[in-house]
Amino acid sequence: HPLDVVGWDEKQLCGLHLVPDVKGRPCEDFCVLQHSNRICVITLAEAHPLLQSGKTIKSINYQISANCSRLQNKVSGKSKRGAQFLTELAPLCRISSSDGEEYTIYSCIRGRLIEVNENILSNPAILQEKPSTEGYIAVVLPKFEESKSITQGLLTQKEYEEVLLKRLNSSS
């Protein structure tokens, strides 16, 4: 269950929001779990190509550019000083699969990067085995005044299932 990793219960989960076809790339879907305290956990959505059978993750890289590594994100204090600021389309990491494909994982929401999941570097399989718990990508804190509006443009689980159904029908 998506809440296990962070020890949340159903009452603390404000929303499970899904972002389909990020940057127009078909099926590259992400999931944003939002806690009542505004914190958002970014994970892969169930239809993401990396979660389809037969894919093996070769490497995960938080080095976004020559000058920017998400691993160098150092956050301190209550005001989260030092956190990298992310836009909706800010890359969080790049994941290569053994079939030669490379996927860029995006933030999907604006906010401060609180942490990246370093456990997936040494154990990439948990990304596929437990994508919404131990295999999460990152934790992002949206600005207080934006935290409600951020998730309004995202899909609910029900809306996302309708997108998946449409995809299925158009491909068959």
Side-chain angles (χ1 to χ4, degrees), residues 75-139:
V75 180
S76 66
K78 226 167 83 174
S79 61
K80 308 297 179 224
R81 272 189 307 278
Q84 295 173 12
F85 188 78
L86 305 170
T87 61
E88 296 91 328
L89 292 176
L92 291 170
C93 66
R94 292 195 175 80
I95 301 176
S96 300
S97 61
S98 52
D99 60 6
E101 290 287 327
E102 186 181 73
Y103 301 92
T104 300
I105 310 303
Y106 297 97
S107 170
C108 303
I109 56 171
R110 285 165 45 89
R112 293 181 181 277
L113 180 63
I114 303 303
E115 72 174 67
V116 294
N117 184 2
E118 292 186 42
N119 297 335
I120 60 175
L121 294 173
S122 55
N123 185 5
I126 60 169
L127 193 65
Q128 291 167 308
E129 292 160 10
K130 300 175 179 178
S132 54
T133 57
E134 287 99 356
Y136 71 98
I137 309 283
V139 178

